[in-house]
Amino acid sequence: MTEAHIMTVTATNAALELVAQLKTLHGAELLFHQSGGCCDGSAPMCFAADDYIVGDNDVLVGSIGGLPFYMNADQYERWRHTDLIIDAVSGIGGMFSLENGSGMRFLTRSDVCMS
């Protein structure tokens, strides 16, 4: 019997560079939450840890750049067969995400994993 795939999250060098910049500007106590599609679409959002309340329905998927990466449990159930790759590209960041105004934004890419 094949074991079920467990989602992973990784980051590109561009994303890790942007994370390092945000840590310099905002301190090391940051976190990511994968938006579920409201307001800012399905963007990975970076917050100061004190500015975001991790709820009982949030799942810790992993970490990138030393920062925890969460998503809502319902969304996790839909995406659990994917591996997330967080990238940083030119553009406008999520309205509430810390990279907004930097000229860069985080972007989620994914690989579907069939096991």
Side-chain angles (χ1 to χ4, degrees):
M1 188 159 106
T2 306
E3 289 186 31
H5 176 77
I6 297 174
M7 176 189 285
T8 63
V9 60
T10 59
T12 64
N13 287 337
L16 294 174
E17 288 173 15
L18 186 52
V19 165
Q21 291 172 15
L22 295 176
K23 284 180 173 180
T24 298
L25 290 171
H26 301 283
E29 297 299 315
L30 307 176
L31 63 81
F32 276 93
H33 192 276
Q34 176 66 46
S35 173
C38 178
C39 302
D40 286 308
S42 296
M45 311 261 295
C46 186
F47 301 98
D50 290 344
D51 290 342
Y52 188 87
I53 299 172
V54 176
D56 293 340
N57 288 324
D58 288 321
V59 175
L60 177 62
V61 177
S63 66
I64 60 170
L67 306 180
F69 193 98
Y70 296 92
M71 77 170 32
N72 181 274
D74 291 340
Q75 187 175 10
Y76 177 81
E77 280 303 310
R78 288 188 297 273
W79 288 20
R80 66 188 168 142
H81 297 294
T82 62
D83 286 335
L84 305 181
I85 303 127
I86 307 307
D87 199 359
V89 297
S90 294
I92 299 171
M95 184 184 320
F96 302 108
S97 192
L98 292 176
E99 83 278 7
N100 191 9
S102 71
M104 298 293 288
R105 67 182 180 94
F106 290 107
L107 174 74
T108 300
R109 301 182 192 281
S110 62
D111 285 331
V112 175
C113 302
M114 304 305 278
S115 34

